[in-house]
Amino acid sequence: MAEVANVYQDALQRVRAIGEDAGVSDEVVEQLLHPKATFCASLPLRMDDGSMRYFKGYRCRYNDVLGPTKGGIRYHPQVTLDEVQALGLWMTIKCALAGLPYGGAKGGIEVQPKELSPMELERLSRAYVRAMADVIGPQIDIPAPDVYTNARIMGWMMDEFEAIKRQRAPAVITGKPVRLGGSVGRDEATGRGAYLCVRELARRLDWEPASKRVAIQGFGNAAYHLARLLEQEGYKIVAVSDSKGGIYSEQGFDIESLWHEKQTSRSMRAVYCEQSVCQLIEHQEISNAELLELDVDLLVPAALENVITVGNANAVKAGHIVEVANGPIDSTAEKVLEQRGVTVVPDVLANAGGVTVSYFEWVQGMSGYPWDLETVRTRLAEYMTRSFDKVWDTAADEGRTLRSAAYVVAMRRIAEAVTAHGDREYFGDQGRKG
């Protein structure tokens, strides 16, 4: 298999390539090639056995031309500075595309959270906030959950920030528990947003859901909600996986049964449950790599970045891919898929439901006025449908892929903000007049 590209350099290359024909100035492209500020910290953690360990923590505020920066915090042993900066760049594009008054950011800790006790996890989360307290805030940078972080961790972080600042600040973090100022509908938002993209795609392609087979790599919160909604629509979910491997059944799976088993046994097992009684069903165990190569109609990479590279792109049989993970297809592999006629709904569009409902949560926190679930879902559908329509129409009108169209829409919106401040053309004209 070909060597996986550096995720940040690959992200920058995409911006350069698309920026060349996006109709925006070189100044905008150049701004997107340079993160505004990146913070690194060594986080001390007193372990339960009394020993002291240190973990690397990162926060990148990539671009704030459209507003305060926004982005999740992930806990993973492979978190790196390059990864965090790439994710911050993608968040910048994503927020601009979604029409949110945000720039992009991202953070993370290089840690295997499964090896920590609950109390160690809490102490590490609070240590992260102590290290970053001066660079986050409701009008500066608003974190949220990401890989291996959740509502409880966000609640700890908000509590630590409020203790440091000695004031209530419900809008400093999104993705919190509802009783701590979180928003209803936030837990399902990323998956529901991806489902809305599939729905719009199906409407344009005149799909009959019952005839479509779906494989999903990853079975975390976002993948579960997407699978649940697709199953309700009539799609057949024939394969799912977690970090240890996957399962495949031509007959499809009952998603609620798989999720129940995953939550109780922490394993991916092909079961069908009636209330609390579950039984194994016929299935085939497969690897994550094999899942990507299944003969299905729709493939959903919902785990980590760079899982489809030039080394396996030709083996992908799905005609349509919806990226729920961030950056699951590298730029070289995407060229291969494009040549083969594979349609890719890009991550900056497909997984924007999470940051959109995080925006709703921030608005509720700033105003002190909570919304009901119907309002959240209705407004999410409006945002996602509007974004999908804009990307689809731009792609059709300008002969672009959906990813290229998404980046073009986002970069043109960023360009409008840069121009409003004054760009090279404006200041050059002023100099000549002088």
Side-chain angles (χ1 to χ4, degrees):
M1 182 177 290
E3 182 179 352
V4 174
N6 175 286
V7 64
Y8 183 46
Q9 294 304 317
D10 195 60
L12 294 179
Q13 179 57 34
R14 270 196 176 128
V15 169
R16 291 190 188 97
I18 295 172
E20 288 179 359
D21 67 345
V24 299
S25 70
D26 293 342
E27 186 171 335
V28 174
V29 176
E30 189 68 19
Q31 184 176 122
L32 290 172
L33 299 180
H34 301 280
K36 179 181 178 67
T38 304
F39 306 91
C40 306
S42 295
L43 308 178
L45 175 61
R46 182 70 66 184
M47 308 300 289
D48 290 343
D49 64 4
S51 64
M52 179 70 77
R53 289 181 61 188
Y54 288 84
F55 297 87
K56 293 180 181 178
Y58 305 97
R59 187 68 185 173
C60 174
R61 299 187 62 235
Y62 201 92
N63 185 287
D64 64 354
V65 70
L66 291 177
T69 51
K70 186 83 183 73
I73 300 170
R74 59 176 49 186
Y75 290 179
H76 196 275
Q78 296 177 2
V79 166
T80 65
L81 179 60
D82 281 336
E83 179 190 50
V84 168
Q85 292 186 145
L87 291 164
L89 170 54
W90 290 329
M91 280 298 300
T92 300
I93 299 296
K94 188 184 304 182
C95 291
L97 174 61
L100 307 178
Y102 286 147
K106 210 73 176 186
I109 302 177
E110 184 183 332
V111 62
Q112 175 49 271
K114 297 178 182 179
E115 296 176 355
L116 301 182
S117 72
M119 293 186 68
E120 289 169 340
L121 193 63
E122 179 183 5
R123 289 195 291 269
L124 182 62
S125 301
R126 291 179 181 274
Y128 181 87
V129 173
R130 288 195 295 274
M132 304 295 175
D134 291 336
V135 298
I136 64 174
Q139 297 287 4
I140 303 171
D141 178 27
I142 306 104
D146 200 84
V147 176
Y148 290 132
T149 55
N150 55 30
R152 178 175 285 109
I153 291 173
M154 296 303 104
W156 291 336
M157 289 186 170
M158 181 189 71
D159 180 68
E160 189 67 22
F161 182 85
E162 291 179 339
I164 292 168
K165 299 297 183 178
R166 296 184 181 276
Q167 61 184 24
R168 294 305 302 271
V172 68
I173 299 276
T174 60
K176 309 178 296 295
V178 173
R179 292 304 176 193
L180 297 181
S183 174
V184 293
R186 178 59 183 86
D187 60 332
E188 67 172 25
T190 304
R192 180 170 287 274
Y195 157 74
L196 292 166
C197 286
V198 175
R199 189 184 71 179
E200 292 305 304
L201 180 67
R203 184 168 66 85
R204 285 161 177 77
L205 299 178
D206 197 25
W207 276 1
E208 177 55 49
S211 68
K212 301 302 177 182
R213 301 159 70 251
V214 183
I216 302 178
Q217 188 196 49
F219 201 55
N221 182 68
Y224 158 65
H225 284 291
L226 170 60
R228 174 180 62 83
L229 292 166
L230 289 179
E231 183 185 36
Q232 291 175 5
E233 193 88 352
Y235 291 86
K236 184 182 293 186
I237 315 301
V238 299
V240 294
S241 69
D242 62 11
S243 59
K244 298 176 183 177
I247 51 178
Y248 169 81
S249 172
E250 184 65 28
Q251 303 306 312
F253 295 109
D254 179 75
I255 297 304
E256 288 297 343
S257 295
L258 296 187
W259 184 249
H260 175 269
E261 181 67 16
K262 177 71 173 176
Q263 301 312 299
T264 55
S265 70
R266 299 296 178 185
S267 63
M268 184 62 67
R269 299 174 68 231
V271 297
Y272 177 77
C273 301
E274 290 187 2
Q275 297 181 346
S276 61
V277 179
C278 299
Q279 63 181 20
L280 282 172
I281 62 174
E282 185 177 346
H283 70 283
Q284 177 184 345
E285 293 186 357
I286 59 174
S287 68
N288 272 291
E290 289 172 329
L291 183 146
L292 296 171
E293 299 174 7
L294 290 173
D295 185 9
V296 294
D297 301 288
L298 176 63
L299 174 64
V300 181
L304 296 173
E305 62 268 2
N306 280 342
V307 296
I308 299 177
T309 67
V310 69
N312 64 353
N314 275 312
V316 173
K317 299 180 182 65
H320 301 83
I321 299 175
V322 173
E323 296 182 321
V324 173
N326 289 304
I329 304 173
D330 74 26
S331 58
T332 306
E334 185 154 31
K335 293 176 183 177
V336 175
L337 296 173
E338 181 182 353
Q339 291 170 355
R340 294 180 51 220
V342 178
T343 299
V344 178
V345 180
D347 49 1
V348 293
L349 172 61
N351 67 25
V355 69
T356 302
V357 177
S358 275
Y359 166 60
F360 298 165
E361 181 178 332
W362 179 77
V363 169
Q364 294 169 72
M366 295 291 283
S367 66
Y369 187 83
W371 302 355
D372 60 29
L373 183 59
E374 182 180 357
T375 299
V376 170
R377 287 177 173 175
T378 299
R379 292 185 178 177
L380 174 61
E382 292 171 354
Y383 271 78
M384 294 301 301
T385 301
R386 183 167 59 240
S387 294
F388 192 99
D389 286 346
K390 183 65 175 178
V391 169
W392 187 271
D393 292 345
T394 300
D397 293 344
E398 302 183 18
R400 300 180 180 276
T401 65
L402 294 181
R403 187 184 311 279
S404 174
Y407 272 62
V408 165
V409 171
M411 292 169 73
R412 287 173 181 168
R413 289 173 177 171
I414 292 170
E416 291 174 359
V418 172
T419 301
H421 284 294
D423 55 13
R424 181 176 62 184
E425 180 178 351
Y426 170 79
F427 287 111
D429 287 344
Q430 297 300 309
R432 286 190 292 273
K433 290 177 181 178

